[in-house]
């Protein structure tokens, strides 16, 4: 009798919860249904009626479950992040076409090497051929199953072939630690004698777990900007990349973590930032910066931390020394390891064929004010492209170049822009510190373009080639810190906060979560209508 009464009370509570949030749930349903109809009438993309109905029904059910979970854990945003990442990550992993991600074939080669215990790839020469020795299944998956689904390929169901094969590229320039989760997953698939697809699935699951754990801990760690950080952690592309064997998942989640450490040092009490705090932050900067060199400039954020926050005034000098050491290590790493290994791939012959030379490109760019202005203008003109490319879910080589969505990019840009400007934040930042943060943002933003201009674009070109939106994901969390007009020391902040009650703030957070799961659900719809 007691159990029945308890069950009845839980059911009533559940129904009341749904009743209170019916308009938000309706918004979620309208969002995914509208996107499905938009794909049909604007692009004629559609699956069978049965598959689309099943997809929409399952997504609505998942949305209801996640909404209920969010409402019962509204004060624990890191838990919401973890569950959302895992749920949509698993769905994305199963539905996504094989090796459709950016450079995923090359990431798979590096993952295979890591699974064999080869942390520093060896460049081999066999006869007239050069490259890296990997297991044969890497080539089989790339040549026979890439851009196909598990239902349209037979190779993915075949046993893992461990015979040797030479491939020309394996991201040897990247640091080994970015492939440890994927490598462990591939190792398990081999040891358990599973089929080819399980290398990608177990590698993807391990990568996803690493991403979910680090990203959710970053949200727990940061004292400010938890909801904007949740938006970036649950961005469809970041979760999509986390389900692949790409090293981008490592860069994205550890960038969130280093920003969380920066925010905690900025917002902490006076005389509480220790040398250990600085060391941890600089280690995190190195971990991401050795893979994406422009991100080493995140080290400069320590100069924004109020001096009174340091345990001792002399620690500010340690912060300066730390920045210098970071740059020295970064230069040494790139000159002695990364760049030589980068040339030991298809990138080396391509550079010779297309006349790509870093020194000559620099001389060309600075030889004329006209040329320099043109290159900077090209960077500025690509702003919308950067955001739009965050919603491109395929490599450029695939015939499904339509595996992207400008409308989703626009929705994210508008909503994240509003959040960046208006989300209530309790911190003070002076005009000079805000300007310095803007400077750090812009220098990294421009550097990410210039790296491609110097290493991927032919000498003499005024258009930068090879830039992808995913490179800029680590920068996104800085935007609300820089742009927010609702912080404590702005003339707008006090005026806005008067109108934001706790109930209204919870409604804003709830609406944000609806947008998050709406965008993630639209990715699943896009996959189904294109590939199934």
């Amino acid at each position: 009798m007691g159990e029945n009464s308890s069950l009845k009370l839980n059911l009533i509570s559940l129904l009341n919860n749904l009743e209170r949030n019916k308009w938000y749930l309706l918004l979620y349903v309208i969002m995914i249904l509208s996107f499905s109809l938009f794909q049909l009438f604007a692009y004629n993309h559609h699956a069978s009626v049965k598959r689309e109905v099943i997809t929409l029904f399952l997504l609505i059910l998942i949305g209801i479950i996640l909404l209920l979970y969010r409402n019962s854990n509204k004060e624990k945003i890191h838990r919401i992040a973890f569950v959302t990442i895992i749920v949509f990550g698993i769905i994305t992993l199963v539905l996504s076409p094989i090796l459709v991600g950016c450079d995923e074939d090359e990431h798979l080669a590096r993952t295979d090497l890591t699974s064999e215990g080869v942390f520093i790839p060896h460049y081999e020469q066999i006869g007239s051929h050069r490259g890296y020795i990997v297991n044969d299944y890497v080539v089989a998956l790339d040549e026979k199953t890439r851009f196909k689904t598990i239902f349209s390929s037979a190779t993915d169901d075949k046993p893992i072939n461990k015979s040797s094969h030479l491939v020309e590229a394996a991201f040897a320039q990247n640091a080994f630690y970015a492939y440890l989760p994927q490598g462990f997953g591939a190792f398990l698939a081999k040891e358990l004698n599973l089929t080819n697809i399980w290398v990608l699935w177990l590698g993807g699951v391990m990568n996803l777990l690493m991403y979910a754990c680090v990203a959710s801990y970053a949200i727990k760690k940061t004292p400010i900007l938890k909801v904007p950080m949740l938006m970036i952690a649950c961005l469809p592309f970041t979760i999509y990349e986390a389900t692949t064997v790409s090293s981008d998942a490592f860069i994205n989640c550890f960038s969130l973590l280093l920003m969380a450490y920066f925010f905690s040092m900025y917002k902490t009490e006076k005389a509480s930032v220790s040398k250990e705090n600085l060391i941890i932050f600089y280690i995190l900067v190195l971990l991401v910066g050795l893979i994406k060199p422009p991100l080493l400039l995140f080290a400069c954020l320590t100069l924004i931390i109020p001096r009174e926050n340091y345990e001792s005034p002399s620690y500010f000098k340690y912060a300066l020394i730390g920045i210098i050491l970071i740059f020295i290590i970064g230069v040494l790493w790139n000159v002695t390891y990364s760049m030589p290994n980068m040339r030991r791939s298809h990138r080396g012959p391509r550079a010779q064929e297309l006349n790509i030379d870093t020194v000559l490109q620099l001389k060309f760019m600075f030889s004329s004010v006209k040329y320099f202005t043109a290159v900077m203008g090209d960077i500025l003109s690509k702003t919308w492209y950067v955001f739009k490319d965050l919603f491109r879910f395929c490599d450029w080589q695939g015939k499904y170049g339509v595996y992207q969505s400008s409308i989703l990019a626009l929705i994210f840009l508008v909503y994240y822009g509003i959040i960046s400007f208006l989300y209530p934040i309790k911190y003070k930042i002076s005009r000079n510190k805000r300007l310095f943060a803007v400077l750090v943002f812009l220098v990294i933003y421009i550097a990410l373009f210039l790296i491609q201009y110097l290493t991927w674009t032919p000498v003499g070109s005024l258009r930068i080639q090879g830039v992808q939106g995913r490179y800029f994901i680590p920068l996104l969390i800085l935007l609300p810190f820089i742009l927010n007009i609702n912080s404590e020391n702005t003339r707008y902040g006090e005026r806005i906060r008067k109108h934001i009650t706790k109930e209204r703030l919870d409604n804003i957070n709830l609406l944000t979560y609806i947008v998050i799961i709406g965008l993630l659900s639209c990715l699943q719809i896009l996959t189904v209508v294109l590939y199934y």
Side-chain angles (χ1 to χ4, degrees):
M1 185 68 180
E3 291 182 2
N4 291 336
S5 177
S6 177
L7 183 62
K8 185 177 180 180
L9 288 174
N10 289 335
L11 183 59
I12 292 173
S13 175
L14 183 67
L15 293 174
N16 288 336
N17 200 332
L18 290 174
E19 171 65 24
R20 286 194 301 271
N21 297 284
K22 60 183 178 182
W23 298 116
Y24 294 98
L25 185 58
L26 179 62
L27 177 62
Y28 168 71
V29 173
I30 291 174
M31 184 175 180
I32 61 176
L33 184 59
S34 299
F35 182 76
S36 183
L37 293 174
F38 177 78
Q39 288 295 312
L40 173 62
F41 291 108
Y43 299 106
N44 197 29
H45 297 156
H46 59 85
S48 67
V49 174
K50 181 179 178 180
R51 285 176 180 171
E52 289 214 36
V53 170
I54 292 174
T55 301
L56 288 170
F57 174 78
L58 290 176
L59 288 174
I60 291 172
L61 181 61
I62 290 168
I64 291 173
I65 294 171
L66 288 176
L67 182 61
L68 293 172
Y69 181 82
R70 180 264 167 199
N71 288 342
S72 62
N73 292 272
K74 62 179 68 176
E75 302 300 326
K76 299 175 181 177
I77 299 176
H78 61 285
R79 290 187 180 180
I80 298 171
F82 183 85
V83 171
T84 306
I85 291 169
I86 293 297
V87 169
F88 277 103
I90 296 298
I91 297 171
T92 303
L93 177 65
V94 175
L95 287 181
S96 292
I98 299 169
L99 293 177
V100 74
C102 303
D103 301 318
E104 198 176 353
D105 54 336
E106 191 175 352
H107 285 298
L108 177 60
R110 184 61 188 272
T111 296
D112 179 68
L113 289 171
T114 305
S115 72
E116 297 290 330
V118 181
F119 296 144
I120 301 178
H122 308 294
Y123 193 60
E124 309 281 353
Q125 181 164 351
I126 301 177
S128 60
H129 300 285
R130 295 180 179 180
Y132 303 91
I133 297 176
V134 298
N135 288 165
D136 187 73
Y137 76 88
V138 173
V139 179
L141 283 171
D142 182 25
E143 293 180 349
K144 298 179 181 179
T145 69
R146 198 171 189 202
F147 307 115
K148 297 180 179 179
T149 69
I150 57 175
F151 301 108
S152 60
S153 169
T155 304
D156 60 295
D157 291 327
K158 292 182 178 179
I160 297 171
N161 188 341
K162 299 179 183 179
S163 58
S164 298
H165 201 108
L166 198 69
V167 295
E168 64 175 350
F171 275 120
Q173 70 269 26
N174 286 349
F176 75 93
Y177 49 77
Y179 294 92
L180 292 177
Q182 311 93 299
F184 179 64
F187 169 79
L188 287 178
K190 294 177 186 179
E191 290 298 304
L192 295 173
N193 294 317
L194 302 175
T195 56
N196 287 330
I197 192 63
W198 284 98
V199 173
L200 296 175
W201 279 356
L202 288 181
V205 165
M206 293 301 167
N207 214 15
L208 181 66
L209 282 172
M210 180 270 298
Y211 178 83
C213 289
V214 176
S216 59
Y217 177 73
I219 293 171
K220 182 180 180 179
K221 172 73 176 176
T222 183
I224 57 175
L225 298 173
K226 287 182 183 288
V227 171
M229 192 174 283
L230 173 69
M231 286 196 73
I232 303 304
C234 295
L235 193 66
F237 190 88
T238 59
I239 294 181
Y240 169 79
E241 282 286 86
T243 65
T244 70
V245 292
S246 171
S247 59
D248 285 352
F250 183 94
I251 296 172
N252 292 335
C253 66
F254 276 88
S255 293
L256 287 175
L257 186 57
L258 77 85
M259 291 305 301
Y261 266 88
F262 163 66
F263 292 145
S264 65
M265 290 190 292
Y266 183 88
K267 189 68 171 61
T268 192
E269 298 176 356
K270 294 181 180 180
S272 58
V273 176
S274 64
K275 286 184 288 186
E276 289 76 15
N277 296 140
L278 287 172
I279 290 172
I280 291 173
F281 177 76
Y282 286 139
I283 289 174
L284 291 172
V285 171
L286 271 178
L287 288 175
V288 298
L290 293 183
I291 306 172
K292 278 283 184 284
L295 300 184
L296 291 170
L297 291 163
F298 273 137
C300 296
L301 290 175
T302 53
L303 301 180
I304 301 177
I305 299 171
R307 294 197 183 190
E308 61 267 21
N309 286 10
Y310 291 106
E311 286 184 353
S312 168
S314 63
Y315 286 6
F316 185 76
K317 297 179 183 178
Y318 295 149
L320 291 172
I321 294 172
I323 294 171
I324 294 171
L325 287 176
I326 289 287
F327 291 161
I328 291 174
I329 294 171
V331 170
L332 291 175
W333 169 269
N334 281 280
V335 171
T336 62
Y337 181 84
S338 185
M339 292 179 68
N341 279 297
M342 186 182 296
R343 289 191 287 267
R344 293 174 186 151
S345 66
H346 61 274
R347 297 169 183 84
R350 180 184 181 276
Q352 293 179 346
E353 180 183 346
L354 298 179
N355 187 29
I356 297 172
D357 185 284
T358 300
V359 175
L360 293 179
Q361 191 75 293
L362 281 170
K363 288 181 178 179
F364 168 77
M365 185 174 68
F366 288 107
S367 65
S368 165
V369 174
K370 177 182 176 182
Y371 296 155
F372 179 81
T373 304
V375 172
M376 292 298 112
D378 186 53
I379 292 175
L380 182 63
S381 70
K382 285 183 165 66
T383 302
W384 164 240
Y385 164 79
V386 167
F387 278 100
K388 185 176 72 172
D389 203 54
L390 289 173
F391 288 82
R392 174 176 60 84
F393 305 101
C394 62
D395 204 338
W396 287 327
Q397 303 170 38
K399 69 175 183 177
Y400 286 106
V402 290
Y403 195 30
Q404 57 184 318
S405 176
S406 297
I407 190 69
L408 295 184
L410 183 61
I411 292 171
F412 171 78
L413 176 59
V414 170
Y415 195 81
Y416 192 67
I418 294 171
I419 287 292
S420 296
F421 274 104
L422 298 177
Y423 192 81
I425 299 170
K426 292 185 178 181
Y427 70 87
K428 293 182 179 180
I429 179 170
S430 67
R431 179 178 298 178
N432 289 339
K433 291 185 182 295
R434 194 185 293 267
L435 289 175
F436 188 80
V438 171
L439 179 64
V440 172
F441 179 94
L442 290 177
V443 171
I444 296 176
Y445 183 82
I446 293 171
L448 287 165
F449 276 98
L450 291 181
I451 286 290
Q452 294 301 114
Y453 186 64
L454 299 176
T455 64
W456 193 255
T457 307
V459 173
S461 175
L462 296 176
R463 298 289 180 182
I464 302 171
Q465 300 178 12
V467 176
Q468 300 183 45
R470 60 194 174 97
Y471 302 156
F472 301 87
I473 290 174
L475 274 177
L476 290 178
I477 195 59
L478 254 184
L479 284 176
F481 181 78
I482 294 170
L483 300 176
N484 195 276
I485 61 173
N486 196 9
S487 52
E488 289 185 345
N489 63 326
T490 64
R491 65 176 183 268
Y492 305 102
E494 184 177 350
R495 196 181 307 168
I496 295 171
R497 281 195 300 275
K498 285 181 180 178
H499 300 283
I500 300 181
T501 62
K502 185 176 181 180
E503 182 180 355
R504 286 177 177 173
L505 180 59
D506 184 57
N507 290 335
I508 293 172
N509 292 341
L510 180 54
L511 178 61
T512 302
Y513 190 65
I514 291 298
V515 172
I516 289 171
I517 62 174
L519 292 173
L520 287 167
S521 296
C522 288
L523 168 58
Q524 315 312 319
I525 292 171
L526 184 64
T527 304
V528 169
V529 299
L530 285 177
Y531 291 95
Y532 290 90

